[in-house]
Amino acid sequence: MASQVTFIGAGNMASAIIGGMIESGYPRDAITATAPHEDALAPIRERLGIHTSTDNAAAVSEADVVVLAVKPQIMHDVCAGLRDAVQAHKPLILSVAAGLSADTLEAWLGGELAVVRCMPNTPSLVGAGAAGLYANGRVDGDQRRLATELLEAVGLVEWVEEEALLEAVTAVSGSAPAYFFLMFEAMEEAGAKLGLPADTARRLAMQTAFGAARMAMDSDKTPGELKRNVMSPGGTTERAIAHLEDAGLRRIMAEAMDACATRAREMAEELGKR
Ligand SMILES: NC(=O)C1=CN([C@@H]2O[C@H](COP(=O)(O)OP(=O)(O)OC[C@H]3O[C@@H](n4cnc5c(N)ncnc54)[C@H](O)[C@@H]3O)[C@@H](O)[C@H]2O)C=CC1
Ligand SMILES: O=C(O)[C@@H]1CCC=N1
């Protein structure tokens, strides 16, 4: 029989993961999602055909896995409301919240719990997500496999063995869709300055990013080799790449990603103080 999975929160991340689970054949009647108001739940219940509830504690009473998918700022209060129900049968806790450590969540839920922390990203909404996962010492092999199965339903899963590495995952994939969206904006603007209709430039830029990612994923060549294959000696690409290198693109990326990881650490300190 499939494990019973209860999602606390029915927003973007929860509905992305639930949608992926259903598409990959997970039984709908083994899935429950909660939110404080019925009007937030009716659409997801009708669209996905899962159970829903406005009572968090009742919804976890028979869950094998509790997925914490509310905003980090309200997690303390949400955990306080789940504590007794969770301590009664100790399900696996799987959190997708940014910046809250496994120890903090375990303590807020009353202690001695198997906790998996996950840093997903928004392309999970289209089944092309990338997630880093970390397990505390109480998580067993079956629970690891179950967490992998749930997140693989919406994309790539990579486990890290040190919790601090989730800060690096946040910099490399959690926040990173926004870096690429910024790049699309910049390419659209630059393409328009060169005379293309803006929407034409946008479509060309996005298709090129999609094609480049697919090519790099399918190829046994490194990104460096694929880059050189585009660069004809004395040609146009060589001129553009030289400009990006001279302008410090690598340094800018390193600094931006360092700022991202630093903010993830700060958030863990700020949010964990309760
Ligand atoms: N958006 C992103 O790029 C990423 C978000 N995350 C994490 O995912 C988590 C959820 O984010 P989103 O899905 O984007 O937020 P969202 O705002 O779309 O969803 C939050 C859900 O929580 C529900 N909710 C509010 N109070 C509740 C309560 N007391 N009990 C039960 N449900 C309650 C809301 O009705 C809503 O359905 C956050 O902790 C965030 O840090 C992680 C990685 C990436
Ligand atoms: O910006 C944030 O804090 C969250 C975590 C990763 C993506 N969005």
Side-chain angles (χ1 to χ4, degrees), residues 92-174:
L92 170 66
I93 306 298
L94 197 165
S95 166
V96 299
L100 284 170
S101 72
D103 278 355
T104 297
L105 293 166
E106 192 182 5
W108 287 353
L109 287 165
E112 298 195 11
L113 291 164
V115 179
V116 170
R117 244 187 95 187
C118 168
M119 173 45 63
N121 65 10
T122 53
S124 307
L125 293 163
V126 293
L133 268 65
Y134 164 80
N136 78 357
R138 298 183 203 278
V139 176
D140 66 25
D142 285 344
Q143 290 173 323
R144 256 184 193 249
R145 276 187 288 282
L146 185 54
T148 303
E149 182 192 348
L150 299 188
L151 269 305
E152 272 186 347
V154 285
L156 175 77
V157 168
E158 295 283 348
W159 284 90
V160 295
E161 295 310 321
E162 281 172 53
E163 188 165 11
L165 289 175
L166 286 183
E167 290 149 16
V169 170
T170 308
V172 173
S173 57

Side-chain angles (χ1 to χ4, degrees), residues 8-14 34-36 40 56 69-72 74-75 78 96-98 119-122 174:
I8 303 298
N12 287 320
M13 274 300 151
T34 75
N56 287 347
V70 297
K71 293 288 183 195
I74 65 163
M75 190 67 86
V78 166
V96 299
M119 173 45 63
N121 65 10
T122 53

